[in-house]
Amino acid sequence: MTSLLDSLRQLTTVVADTGDFEAMRALRPTDATTNPSLIFKAVQLDAYKPLLLQTVRAHRGATVPELADRLLVAFGQEILNIVPGRVSTEVDARLSFDTRATIERARGLIALYEDAGVPRERVLIKIASTWEGIQAARVLQQEGVRCNLTLLFALPQAVACAEAGVQLISPFVGRIYDWHKKAAGAQWVEAEHMGAQDPGVQSVTRIYRYYKQFGIKTEVMGASFRNSGQILALAGCDLLTISPELLAELAGREGSVTPALGAADAGPAMERMPADEVSFRTLMNEDAMASEKLSEGIRAFVADGRKLDALISSL
């Protein structure tokens, strides 16, 4: 019998959401994504400490931000030796509200990759889906730097990303689910919010159908899953980035995955949403979940970025 993971691969590009090389070798994803939290977690493991030490020792005299970027690229190079597709490397989340600084940091990351012989087509630069981040991505895309807009929780972010011509977006399923479950408190009934009824799944489905209805080429990559049911409810999405634990679960279960989304599935007709700055900020402000989770996500990545800086400084 075919595993659920192998069946899913027939419908969706499977991406590993990890900095763990061994997990990638075992689970054979097409692409891989990283973020400051995953890299900080990885470099504390004995298997990856040599990569950290090697990076710091090879570039004595470099600033901590420069060393951090070199470490991210070192991980990216190793990942690209394993996966056949692309790796996503994230710009420092502390720059999430600084368009110019984000552009410069992204250019620096791409330059490091190209100096190492990695073509830019195999790299996605991850940027938070703030208004400033989306405008940075607009400039970078025009320069041939492909971007992955992360920490995306609502359709207005997705629409602004599409208008900016970004390569790929990463709408977060699990964090949307978390917010709604917490907000409902004792009124939450898990059985009523599973599969297609999951609020995170519904958000990604709406974005996916909006893109297909209007012929938008930006790729949709569902992210931040809490359980395999959320993954299976989005089978057919362009890409899904999945943790090693959930990849292993799917690999260990036999069965066939039924497509939930498809290129011809535009769903009910939707009106075109404005993508100017005032509309973006207004709609985000009206969406408590999206605005709260975006801010929370940036704070979490900033905190782990600082922890990584401290670790580098200690060497």
Side-chain angles (χ1 to χ4, degrees):
M1 284 287 292
T2 301
S3 72
L4 289 179
L5 180 57
D6 285 337
S7 181
L8 180 65
R9 293 186 206 274
Q10 305 305 310
L11 304 171
T12 293
T13 298
V14 173
V15 181
D17 192 11
T18 181
D20 186 337
F21 306 150
E22 295 309 316
M24 293 178 209
R25 290 190 178 96
L27 296 164
R28 301 178 293 105
T30 300
D31 292 356
T33 61
T34 63
N35 61 45
S37 302
L38 293 173
I39 296 299
F40 177 68
K41 179 180 178 181
V43 295
Q44 295 180 83
L45 301 175
D46 289 340
Y48 303 114
K49 282 181 181 176
L51 188 57
L52 171 62
L53 293 172
Q54 177 185 337
T55 300
V56 172
R57 289 169 181 167
H59 302 284
R60 290 291 185 191
T63 66
V64 171
E66 289 170 346
L67 289 170
D69 281 357
R70 287 187 178 277
L71 180 63
L72 294 178
V73 171
F75 264 87
Q77 288 177 259
E78 293 293 333
I79 289 168
L80 289 174
N81 289 330
I82 301 169
V83 303
R86 304 169 295 188
V87 66
S88 290
T89 297
E90 192 150 347
V91 170
D92 192 327
R94 284 166 282 193
L95 306 178
S96 296
F97 302 103
D98 189 331
T99 298
R100 176 51 53 189
T102 296
I103 293 169
E104 293 303 323
R105 199 70 171 263
R107 287 170 176 164
L109 288 167
I110 286 294
L112 289 174
Y113 272 112
E114 292 186 328
D115 287 346
V118 177
R120 61 178 57 191
E121 291 77 19
R122 296 198 69 194
V123 179
L124 293 171
I125 297 296
K126 284 179 79 174
I127 300 170
S129 298
T130 59
W131 177 258
E132 294 81 4
I134 295 168
Q135 301 320 303
R138 182 191 300 275
V139 173
L140 291 165
Q141 287 283 160
Q142 292 170 352
E143 296 177 356
V145 177
R146 300 177 183 185
C147 298
N148 170 357
L149 272 290
T150 188
L151 293 175
L152 194 146
F153 301 97
L155 185 58
Q157 291 171 291
V159 172
C161 288
E163 293 294 327
V166 307
Q167 180 72 29
L168 180 147
I169 61 169
S170 296
F172 278 28
V173 177
R175 298 193 195 190
I176 296 173
Y177 163 89
D178 293 344
W179 189 93
H180 284 281
K181 184 174 182 178
K182 181 179 179 180
Q187 303 304 312
W188 181 266
V189 179
E190 189 67 29
E192 296 177 358
H193 298 89
M194 297 174 68
Q197 302 309 309
D198 184 296
V201 170
Q202 291 176 336
S203 179
V204 177
T205 298
R206 186 181 181 211
I207 290 168
Y208 179 88
R209 288 176 171 166
Y210 183 97
Y211 275 18
K212 299 311 174 187
Q213 178 179 321
F214 292 105
I216 294 165
K217 301 302 182 183
T218 298
E219 300 167 62
V220 180
M221 180 170 71
S224 172
F225 293 104
R226 297 293 179 259
N227 56 66
S228 58
Q230 293 173 335
I231 296 167
L232 298 177
L234 289 172
C237 193
D238 300 329
L239 308 94
L240 298 173
T241 181
I242 306 169
S243 70
E245 294 78 14
L246 289 174
L247 285 171
E249 178 187 330
L250 293 170
R253 291 168 57 189
E254 294 182 347
S256 179
V257 177
T258 301
L261 300 177
D265 177 23
M270 289 179 271
E271 293 185 7
R272 193 100 193 194
M273 181 177 286
D276 60 280
E277 182 176 359
V278 171
S279 296
F280 176 90
R281 295 192 186 280
T282 300
L283 291 169
M284 287 295 289
N285 184 66
E286 291 174 352
D287 189 331
M289 178 278 296
S291 54
E292 289 174 20
K293 297 307 288 186
L294 174 60
S295 297
E296 179 187 274
I298 291 171
R299 287 194 298 271
F301 283 164
V302 166
D304 283 332
R306 287 174 176 152
K307 291 176 186 175
L308 184 60
D309 285 356
L311 183 58
I312 291 170
S313 298
S314 70
L315 298 175

